[in-house]
Amino acid sequence: MPGIVYKKWLVVMLAFTALFLTACGEKQEERGKLIMVTNATFPPYEFYQGDRIVGIDADMVREIALRNNLELVIEDMSFDSVIAAVQTGKADVAASGITVTEDRKKQIDFTTSYVQADQVIIVRDEAAIAGPADLKGRRIGVQHGTTGDMYVTSNIQEPERFQDGALAVASLVTGKIDAVVLDSAPAEEHVARNKGIRILPGALVSEEYAMAISKNRPELLAMFNKTMAEMKADGTMKTIWARYLDEHGKPLAVPAVESVEKGLWQRMAESFDVNFVKDNRWRYLVNGFLVTIQISACAVLMGLVIGFLVAVVRSAHDQTGRYKVLNFLCHIYLTVVRGTPVVVQLLIIYFVIFGSVDVSKVLVAIVAFGVNSGAYVAEIIRSGIMAVDSGQMEAGRSLGLSYGTTMRSVILPQAFKNVLPALGNEFIVLLKETSVCGYIALQDLTKGGDIIRSQTYDAFLPLIAVALTYLVVVVCLSQLMKKLENSLKKNER
Ligand code: ARG
């Protein structure tokens, strides 16, 4: 019943298209908005409180936006991307506890600095490390791309670079590393929230924080400096600081560290509550899951279309010698896409190709993963076409069918059936690969788990929950592919 199969496919295609259109139609930033980028794993300067990013930086920029009649949009991304985001015009300002350095000044302009901060060393209570001199040869953790990272790299040795400070501290607590070099204020927060670690007295270096603005936006810079000066003069700055730090610069409102020993089950139940129930944190997983599905589904469709076209061009060229130019272009496409990692492609598409246009990030991700997957799908389909016995083509042609017709009605249906398992595999890979979306500040499933982790300082349950969700989706996907294979097999008879 090929008719029924086609109808099924039509329905599937329509569903995909609808998903794609919702992604494209996502509301774009209008005028009058101020886009701030940050890395919200840095209390008390930026961190999540429920759904909201709060903290000294966030509150400060919120106030600046308010006073200048702008609507603030905060985007959370990895720290090593925030300056690039400003530089390429993806965001207006980066406020992320950014230390003023000469190297960074070459890339962007800094506002007047608003606080002085230190890099400090965190160690376990019992560690025999008294100061920087004892660090050599130890395992030192830092947050990737920070001044702590730079300091350790150029003055001590290669550090272990973590995506955020909390992960580095978690590794310290569990004994995987011996020290963490971190900014003093978040270090205080971590020490207050974790048992068994302390900050060594004395600072490695003293620094100043400022916000980063593109060199092409002197008017914006002037606006920030002016408003910041006003906020300092009228006491607003002080008020903002007092929301998070006491007069000694120690964090306010930190949950007391548990000291009574609890049973395993009780601890698990509490951890479950904190990670998923409290503040409705489960919503990060659900929303992230929807984003992941949306991106994967649309990218699969796009990859199929691209892959199919490329495979047909390449096979036609192999078999008939036609389409030389097209074949050459396809060859370049395959080489470039398969020769570079998908994260790098994603970042290039986001920062370079769509650098100066304002497009939805979901769309960027769909394009990146669709284009990437297309290359693999192309080779899968081509191998399917080549595996069909060459006698089939000869038979078709000798019956008087044209090359195109033989391809369409004899070769491709057989090829498609043969490559279904490989295609299914490609979809699974694609789904999991979308987990790097967090690099461009998209809140997919993995990032959802990361946000929970950054709020609860607990790595175990959020990671397990994320892993389980992917697993369930993959299992369902495999089942679906199996069904499709079976139904095609039945059609054969
Ligand atoms: N002050 C350091 C730097 O500029 C670390 C900042 C990290 N900020 C963050 N939001 N994670 O390199």
Side-chain angles (χ1 to χ4, degrees):
M1 286 284 114
I4 291 182
V5 175
Y6 279 134
K7 250 188 223 147
K8 267 193 201 157
W9 272 101
L10 198 68
V11 173
V12 174
M13 293 282 219
L14 280 177
F16 275 122
T17 318
L19 263 174
F20 186 70
L21 289 180
T22 31
C24 303
E26 224 180 50
K27 194 116 186 60
Q28 291 300 306
E29 278 87 38
E30 293 139 16
R31 262 171 213 293
K33 289 210 168 158
L34 181 76
I35 303 180
M36 158 184 155
V37 277
T38 192
N39 171 240
T41 61
F42 202 68
Y45 287 94
E46 41 266 335
F47 58 101
Y48 279 90
Q49 202 167 67
D51 264 350
R52 250 163 86 90
I53 296 178
V54 295
I56 295 170
D57 283 330
D59 289 10
M60 221 162 35
V61 180
R62 209 167 265 136
E63 180 68 22
I64 294 174
L66 193 71
R67 292 190 183 197
N68 291 281
N69 217 355
L70 295 166
E71 191 187 324
L72 178 64
V73 179
I74 303 185
E75 293 191 357
D76 179 21
M77 49 174 67
S78 66
F79 182 71
D80 50 347
S81 295
V82 296
I83 289 188
V86 168
Q87 207 181 16
T88 56
K90 284 273 159 226
D92 301 308
V93 59
S96 196
I98 306 175
T99 302
V100 179
T101 71
E102 288 310 313
D103 283 338
R104 290 174 178 169
K105 271 192 201 160
K106 289 182 196 138
Q107 316 288 337
I108 37 85
D109 277 343
F110 278 111
T111 61
T112 37
S113 62
Y114 52 86
V115 71
Q116 191 249 313
D118 297 332
Q119 292 293 323
V120 297
I121 305 169
I122 316 177
V123 294
R124 276 187 303 281
D125 283 344
E126 78 288 352
I129 300 177
D134 300 331
L135 283 182
K136 191 130 193 96
R138 305 293 191 116
R139 297 162 300 177
I140 312 170
V142 295
Q143 179 181 13
H144 182 143
T146 59
T147 44
D149 179 358
M150 292 163 206
Y151 181 89
V152 176
T153 308
S154 45
N155 296 298
I156 307 178
Q157 68 201 21
E158 276 294 305
E160 299 198 10
R161 300 185 176 88
F162 293 85
Q163 204 41 44
D164 57 67
L167 276 180
V169 171
S171 303
L172 175 69
V173 171
T174 50
K176 292 191 187 59
I177 55 176
D178 305 309
V180 171
V181 171
L182 195 67
D183 299 52
S184 41
E188 293 281 359
E189 300 261 355
H190 288 301
V191 169
R193 284 177 157 98
N194 287 280
K195 255 195 299 181
I197 54 174
R198 64 192 160 101
I199 297 176
L200 293 185
L204 273 180
V205 261
S206 273
E207 313 181 319
E208 284 188 353
Y209 293 168
M211 294 182 231
I213 289 178
S214 158
K215 285 193 182 295
N216 304 325
R217 310 276 303 273
E219 35 11 281
L220 188 68
L221 182 69
M223 183 194 97
F224 262 77
N225 283 337
K226 180 163 168 282
T227 314
M228 284 165 76
E230 287 162 9
M231 286 164 60
K232 198 166 175 185
D234 66 19
T236 312
M237 288 289 198
K238 268 224 175 78
T239 320
I240 292 177
W241 251 263
R243 280 182 207 147
Y244 302 97
L245 299 171
D246 67 14
E247 63 274 27
H248 311 291
K250 299 271 178 212
L252 289 176
V254 170
V257 179
E258 290 289 348
S259 55
V260 270
E261 286 304 328
K262 290 187 179 145
L264 178 68
W265 283 115
Q266 196 181 355
R267 264 186 292 145
M268 281 297 261
E270 275 171 19
S271 170
F272 185 87
D273 188 62
V274 167
N275 281 298
F276 305 125
V277 183
K278 195 165 164 267
D279 292 336
N280 285 332
R281 298 212 163 103
W282 55 270
R283 271 186 314 173
Y284 292 113
L285 296 182
V286 173
N287 294 342
F289 169 76
L290 293 178
V291 171
T292 293
I293 292 295
Q294 191 183 20
I295 294 172
S296 313
C298 297
V300 159
L301 179 67
M302 189 169 162
L304 265 180
V305 173
I306 297 180
F308 178 77
L309 294 177
V310 172
V312 168
V313 168
R314 301 246 302 148
S315 326
H317 174 81
D318 286 353
Q319 290 167 349
T320 66
R322 279 188 281 172
Y323 309 123
K324 276 214 173 60
V325 180
L326 269 182
N327 182 60
F328 177 70
L329 292 179
C330 291
H331 187 72
I332 294 191
Y333 161 71
L334 292 179
T335 311
V336 172
V337 169
R338 292 193 303 162
T340 49
V342 69
V343 201
V344 179
Q345 292 165 13
L346 178 72
L347 288 173
I348 290 181
I349 293 184
Y350 182 59
F351 283 118
V352 184
I353 298 183
F354 286 128
S356 48
V357 275
D358 191 15
V359 288
S360 127
K361 277 195 282 250
V362 173
L363 190 63
V364 171
I366 292 173
V367 171
F369 290 106
V371 168
N372 180 275
S373 179
Y376 296 93
V377 171
E379 288 301 88
I380 292 173
I381 296 186
R382 193 169 71 94
S383 69
I385 295 175
M386 309 233 293
V388 176
D389 190 274
S390 60
Q392 301 268 333
M393 176 57 86
E394 285 154 22
R397 298 307 298 270
S398 59
L399 282 175
L401 302 179
S402 69
Y403 176 82
T405 316
T406 318
M407 195 61 165
R408 248 195 328 274
S409 35
V410 181
I411 311 285
L412 283 179
Q414 301 182 54
F416 183 66
K417 216 167 359 188
N418 291 341
V419 299
L420 259 188
L423 275 184
N425 197 39
E426 166 59 23
F427 299 160
I428 290 174
V429 171
L430 174 68
L431 173 88
K432 290 181 299 175
E433 263 180 354
T434 60
S435 62
V436 298
C437 277
Y439 272 87
I440 60 166
L442 257 175
Q443 293 196 5
D444 70 323
L445 179 56
T446 303
K447 180 81 180 191
D450 287 349
I451 295 176
I452 298 183
R453 208 161 42 72
S454 77
Q455 292 184 6
T456 61
Y457 297 81
D458 181 0
F460 182 71
L461 273 188
L463 287 174
I464 296 292
V466 167
L468 276 179
T469 315
Y470 279 109
L471 186 65
V472 169
V473 179
V474 168
V475 169
C476 292
L477 198 64
S478 315
Q479 287 302 339
L480 218 74
M481 291 306 285
K482 214 188 255 160
K483 277 230 174 81
L484 186 64
E485 256 174 67
N486 286 340
S487 84
L488 284 183
K489 239 185 238 151
K490 263 188 229 138
N491 276 315
E492 217 163 90
R493 286 179 237 132

PDB file of all heavy atoms in Angstrom, residues 38-42 46 79 96-99 104 119 143 145-148 183 207 209, ligand 1:
ATOM      1  N   THR A  38      25.490  37.378  30.030  1.00  0.00           N
ATOM      2  CA  THR A  38      26.194  37.069  31.261  1.00  0.00           C
ATOM      3  C   THR A  38      26.393  35.572  31.353  1.00  0.00           C
ATOM      4  O   THR A  38      25.922  34.822  30.489  1.00  0.00           O
ATOM      5  CB  THR A  38      25.395  37.589  32.475  1.00  0.00           C
ATOM      6  OG1 THR A  38      26.215  37.528  33.634  1.00  0.00           O
ATOM      7  CG2 THR A  38      24.141  36.769  32.700  1.00  0.00           C
ATOM      8  N   ASN A  39      27.115  35.150  32.373  1.00  0.00           N
ATOM      9  CA  ASN A  39      27.228  33.722  32.654  1.00  0.00           C
ATOM     10  C   ASN A  39      26.737  33.547  34.079  1.00  0.00           C
ATOM     11  O   ASN A  39      27.450  33.841  35.031  1.00  0.00           O
ATOM     12  CB  ASN A  39      28.689  33.281  32.497  1.00  0.00           C
ATOM     13  CG  ASN A  39      28.910  31.870  32.989  1.00  0.00           C
ATOM     14  OD1 ASN A  39      29.699  31.640  33.910  1.00  0.00           O
ATOM     15  ND2 ASN A  39      28.228  30.922  32.416  1.00  0.00           N
ATOM     16  N   ALA A  40      25.500  33.115  34.197  1.00  0.00           N
ATOM     17  CA  ALA A  40      24.816  33.179  35.487  1.00  0.00           C
ATOM     18  C   ALA A  40      25.200  32.037  36.433  1.00  0.00           C
ATOM     19  O   ALA A  40      24.355  31.331  36.961  1.00  0.00           O
ATOM     20  CB  ALA A  40      23.313  33.221  35.275  1.00  0.00           C
ATOM     21  N   THR A  41      26.494  31.868  36.614  1.00  0.00           N
ATOM     22  CA  THR A  41      26.960  30.845  37.562  1.00  0.00           C
ATOM     23  C   THR A  41      27.894  31.515  38.557  1.00  0.00           C
ATOM     24  O   THR A  41      28.850  30.911  39.021  1.00  0.00           O
ATOM     25  CB  THR A  41      27.746  29.744  36.835  1.00  0.00           C
ATOM     26  OG1 THR A  41      28.906  30.355  36.218  1.00  0.00           O
ATOM     27  CG2 THR A  41      26.919  29.069  35.770  1.00  0.00           C
ATOM     28  N   PHE A  42      27.635  32.778  38.864  1.00  0.00           N
ATOM     29  CA  PHE A  42      28.620  33.585  39.549  1.00  0.00           C
ATOM     30  C   PHE A  42      27.971  34.413  40.659  1.00  0.00           C
ATOM     31  O   PHE A  42      27.934  35.641  40.577  1.00  0.00           O
ATOM     32  CB  PHE A  42      29.262  34.491  38.477  1.00  0.00           C
ATOM     33  CG  PHE A  42      30.615  35.051  38.789  1.00  0.00           C
ATOM     34  CD1 PHE A  42      31.726  34.231  38.861  1.00  0.00           C
ATOM     35  CD2 PHE A  42      30.785  36.427  38.964  1.00  0.00           C
ATOM     36  CE1 PHE A  42      32.980  34.766  39.094  1.00  0.00           C
ATOM     37  CE2 PHE A  42      32.041  36.965  39.204  1.00  0.00           C
ATOM     38  CZ  PHE A  42      33.138  36.136  39.271  1.00  0.00           C
ATOM     39  N   GLU A  46      25.830  37.221  39.438  1.00  0.00           N
ATOM     40  CA  GLU A  46      24.742  36.751  38.561  1.00  0.00           C
ATOM     41  C   GLU A  46      24.465  35.287  38.835  1.00  0.00           C
ATOM     42  O   GLU A  46      25.358  34.463  38.820  1.00  0.00           O
ATOM     43  CB  GLU A  46      25.071  36.940  37.066  1.00  0.00           C
ATOM     44  CG  GLU A  46      26.501  36.611  36.677  1.00  0.00           C
ATOM     45  CD  GLU A  46      27.348  37.860  36.700  1.00  0.00           C
ATOM     46  OE1 GLU A  46      26.774  38.948  36.542  1.00  0.00           O
ATOM     47  OE2 GLU A  46      28.571  37.749  36.890  1.00  0.00           O
ATOM     48  N   PHE A  79      30.959  31.756  29.894  1.00  0.00           N
ATOM     49  CA  PHE A  79      31.697  32.993  30.157  1.00  0.00           C
ATOM     50  C   PHE A  79      32.619  33.352  29.004  1.00  0.00           C
ATOM     51  O   PHE A  79      32.775  34.525  28.661  1.00  0.00           O
ATOM     52  CB  PHE A  79      32.485  32.891  31.466  1.00  0.00           C
ATOM     53  CG  PHE A  79      33.222  34.157  31.787  1.00  0.00           C
ATOM     54  CD1 PHE A  79      32.536  35.303  32.176  1.00  0.00           C
ATOM     55  CD2 PHE A  79      34.598  34.234  31.638  1.00  0.00           C
ATOM     56  CE1 PHE A  79      33.204  36.483  32.426  1.00  0.00           C
ATOM     57  CE2 PHE A  79      35.278  35.415  31.893  1.00  0.00           C
ATOM     58  CZ  PHE A  79      34.584  36.541  32.295  1.00  0.00           C
ATOM     59  N   SER A  96      29.202  40.582  33.713  1.00  0.00           N
ATOM     60  CA  SER A  96      29.421  39.210  34.141  1.00  0.00           C
ATOM     61  C   SER A  96      30.606  39.118  35.095  1.00  0.00           C
ATOM     62  O   SER A  96      31.392  38.187  35.039  1.00  0.00           O
ATOM     63  CB  SER A  96      29.659  38.358  32.884  1.00  0.00           C
ATOM     64  OG  SER A  96      29.530  37.005  33.167  1.00  0.00           O
ATOM     65  N   GLY A  97      30.734  40.106  35.958  1.00  0.00           N
ATOM     66  CA  GLY A  97      31.896  40.120  36.852  1.00  0.00           C
ATOM     67  C   GLY A  97      33.176  40.141  36.051  1.00  0.00           C
ATOM     68  O   GLY A  97      34.150  39.482  36.405  1.00  0.00           O
ATOM     69  N   ILE A  98      33.173  40.910  34.950  1.00  0.00           N
ATOM     70  CA  ILE A  98      34.308  40.864  34.029  1.00  0.00           C
ATOM     71  C   ILE A  98      35.456  41.741  34.531  1.00  0.00           C
ATOM     72  O   ILE A  98      35.275  42.929  34.793  1.00  0.00           O
ATOM     73  CB  ILE A  98      33.901  41.346  32.617  1.00  0.00           C
ATOM     74  CG1 ILE A  98      32.701  40.538  32.120  1.00  0.00           C
ATOM     75  CG2 ILE A  98      35.070  41.227  31.654  1.00  0.00           C
ATOM     76  CD1 ILE A  98      32.161  41.030  30.805  1.00  0.00           C
ATOM     77  N   THR A  99      36.606  41.136  34.653  1.00  0.00           N
ATOM     78  CA  THR A  99      37.787  41.872  35.071  1.00  0.00           C
ATOM     79  C   THR A  99      38.322  42.706  33.914  1.00  0.00           C
ATOM     80  O   THR A  99      38.386  42.229  32.783  1.00  0.00           O
ATOM     81  CB  THR A  99      38.870  40.879  35.520  1.00  0.00           C
ATOM     82  OG1 THR A  99      38.333  40.088  36.579  1.00  0.00           O
ATOM     83  CG2 THR A  99      40.119  41.591  35.968  1.00  0.00           C
ATOM     84  N   ARG A 104      41.631  42.391  26.968  1.00  0.00           N
ATOM     85  CA  ARG A 104      40.204  42.559  26.688  1.00  0.00           C
ATOM     86  C   ARG A 104      39.902  43.948  26.164  1.00  0.00           C
ATOM     87  O   ARG A 104      39.006  44.127  25.342  1.00  0.00           O
ATOM     88  CB  ARG A 104      39.387  42.263  27.953  1.00  0.00           C
ATOM     89  CG  ARG A 104      39.402  40.778  28.316  1.00  0.00           C
ATOM     90  CD  ARG A 104      38.729  40.527  29.636  1.00  0.00           C
ATOM     91  NE  ARG A 104      38.715  39.088  29.957  1.00  0.00           N
ATOM     92  CZ  ARG A 104      38.381  38.606  31.134  1.00  0.00           C
ATOM     93  NH1 ARG A 104      38.038  39.425  32.109  1.00  0.00           N
ATOM     94  NH2 ARG A 104      38.392  37.304  31.339  1.00  0.00           N
ATOM     95  N   GLN A 119      41.430  37.561  43.229  1.00  0.00           N
ATOM     96  CA  GLN A 119      41.454  36.129  42.934  1.00  0.00           C
ATOM     97  C   GLN A 119      41.978  35.434  44.187  1.00  0.00           C
ATOM     98  O   GLN A 119      42.991  35.840  44.734  1.00  0.00           O
ATOM     99  CB  GLN A 119      42.406  35.826  41.760  1.00  0.00           C
ATOM    100  CG  GLN A 119      41.924  36.363  40.427  1.00  0.00           C
ATOM    101  CD  GLN A 119      40.665  35.671  39.930  1.00  0.00           C
ATOM    102  OE1 GLN A 119      40.488  34.464  40.098  1.00  0.00           O
ATOM    103  NE2 GLN A 119      39.769  36.443  39.326  1.00  0.00           N
ATOM    104  N   GLN A 143      37.651  28.413  36.341  1.00  0.00           N
ATOM    105  CA  GLN A 143      36.590  28.510  35.332  1.00  0.00           C
ATOM    106  C   GLN A 143      37.234  28.939  34.024  1.00  0.00           C
ATOM    107  O   GLN A 143      37.994  29.914  33.979  1.00  0.00           O
ATOM    108  CB  GLN A 143      35.506  29.532  35.718  1.00  0.00           C
ATOM    109  CG  GLN A 143      34.434  29.614  34.630  1.00  0.00           C
ATOM    110  CD  GLN A 143      33.324  30.628  34.903  1.00  0.00           C
ATOM    111  OE1 GLN A 143      33.433  31.471  35.781  1.00  0.00           O
ATOM    112  NE2 GLN A 143      32.261  30.516  34.135  1.00  0.00           N
ATOM    113  N   GLY A 145      38.456  30.446  30.736  1.00  0.00           N
ATOM    114  CA  GLY A 145      38.396  31.771  30.111  1.00  0.00           C
ATOM    115  C   GLY A 145      38.390  32.934  31.083  1.00  0.00           C
ATOM    116  O   GLY A 145      38.261  34.083  30.676  1.00  0.00           O
ATOM    117  N   THR A 146      38.536  32.656  32.377  1.00  0.00           N
ATOM    118  CA  THR A 146      38.511  33.743  33.354  1.00  0.00           C
ATOM    119  C   THR A 146      39.935  34.217  33.637  1.00  0.00           C
ATOM    120  O   THR A 146      40.916  33.591  33.224  1.00  0.00           O
ATOM    121  CB  THR A 146      37.901  33.256  34.683  1.00  0.00           C
ATOM    122  OG1 THR A 146      38.694  32.172  35.160  1.00  0.00           O
ATOM    123  CG2 THR A 146      36.475  32.777  34.478  1.00  0.00           C
ATOM    124  N   THR A 147      40.033  35.312  34.377  1.00  0.00           N
ATOM    125  CA  THR A 147      41.360  35.799  34.738  1.00  0.00           C
ATOM    126  C   THR A 147      42.047  34.819  35.688  1.00  0.00           C
ATOM    127  O   THR A 147      43.270  34.755  35.725  1.00  0.00           O
ATOM    128  CB  THR A 147      41.268  37.192  35.392  1.00  0.00           C
ATOM    129  OG1 THR A 147      40.188  37.187  36.320  1.00  0.00           O
ATOM    130  CG2 THR A 147      41.009  38.253  34.341  1.00  0.00           C
ATOM    131  N   GLY A 148      41.250  34.064  36.466  1.00  0.00           N
ATOM    132  CA  GLY A 148      41.842  33.025  37.312  1.00  0.00           C
ATOM    133  C   GLY A 148      42.564  32.005  36.444  1.00  0.00           C
ATOM    134  O   GLY A 148      43.702  31.591  36.727  1.00  0.00           O
ATOM    135  N   ASP A 183      37.291  34.080  41.807  1.00  0.00           N
ATOM    136  CA  ASP A 183      37.051  35.426  42.308  1.00  0.00           C
ATOM    137  C   ASP A 183      36.539  35.338  43.752  1.00  0.00           C
ATOM    138  O   ASP A 183      35.791  34.420  44.095  1.00  0.00           O
ATOM    139  CB  ASP A 183      36.014  36.139  41.437  1.00  0.00           C
ATOM    140  CG  ASP A 183      36.483  36.269  39.994  1.00  0.00           C
ATOM    141  OD1 ASP A 183      36.881  35.231  39.413  1.00  0.00           O
ATOM    142  OD2 ASP A 183      36.452  37.368  39.444  1.00  0.00           O
ATOM    143  N   GLU A 207      41.827  42.848  41.280  1.00  0.00           N
ATOM    144  CA  GLU A 207      41.316  43.231  39.966  1.00  0.00           C
ATOM    145  C   GLU A 207      40.153  44.192  40.118  1.00  0.00           C
ATOM    146  O   GLU A 207      39.675  44.416  41.223  1.00  0.00           O
ATOM    147  CB  GLU A 207      40.797  41.977  39.231  1.00  0.00           C
ATOM    148  CG  GLU A 207      41.730  40.801  39.284  1.00  0.00           C
ATOM    149  CD  GLU A 207      41.184  39.598  38.540  1.00  0.00           C
ATOM    150  OE1 GLU A 207      39.962  39.339  38.661  1.00  0.00           O
ATOM    151  OE2 GLU A 207      41.967  38.937  37.859  1.00  0.00           O
ATOM    152  N   TYR A 209      36.222  45.064  38.320  1.00  0.00           N
ATOM    153  CA  TYR A 209      35.182  44.627  37.386  1.00  0.00           C
ATOM    154  C   TYR A 209      34.595  45.841  36.661  1.00  0.00           C
ATOM    155  O   TYR A 209      34.416  46.904  37.261  1.00  0.00           O
ATOM    156  CB  TYR A 209      34.010  43.961  38.105  1.00  0.00           C
ATOM    157  CG  TYR A 209      34.299  42.646  38.769  1.00  0.00           C
ATOM    158  CD1 TYR A 209      33.361  42.095  39.651  1.00  0.00           C
ATOM    159  CD2 TYR A 209      35.460  41.928  38.516  1.00  0.00           C
ATOM    160  CE1 TYR A 209      33.579  40.882  40.274  1.00  0.00           C
ATOM    161  CE2 TYR A 209      35.688  40.707  39.142  1.00  0.00           C
ATOM    162  CZ  TYR A 209      34.751  40.197  40.029  1.00  0.00           C
ATOM    163  OH  TYR A 209      34.963  38.998  40.634  1.00  0.00           O
TER     164      TYR A 209
HETATM  165  N1  ARG B   1      36.515  38.131  36.955  1.00  0.00           N
HETATM  166  C1  ARG B   1      36.856  36.985  36.203  1.00  0.00           C
HETATM  167  C2  ARG B   1      37.136  37.360  34.771  1.00  0.00           C
HETATM  168  O1  ARG B   1      36.775  38.393  34.304  1.00  0.00           O
HETATM  169  C3  ARG B   1      35.803  35.898  36.263  1.00  0.00           C
HETATM  170  C4  ARG B   1      34.443  36.313  35.855  1.00  0.00           C
HETATM  171  C5  ARG B   1      33.511  35.136  35.727  1.00  0.00           C
HETATM  172  N2  ARG B   1      32.184  35.599  35.589  1.00  0.00           N
HETATM  173  C6  ARG B   1      31.094  34.819  35.487  1.00  0.00           C
HETATM  174  N3  ARG B   1      29.930  35.393  35.411  1.00  0.00           N
HETATM  175  N4  ARG B   1      31.181  33.536  35.474  1.00  0.00           N
HETATM  176  O2  ARG B   1      37.728  36.620  34.061  1.00  0.00           O
END
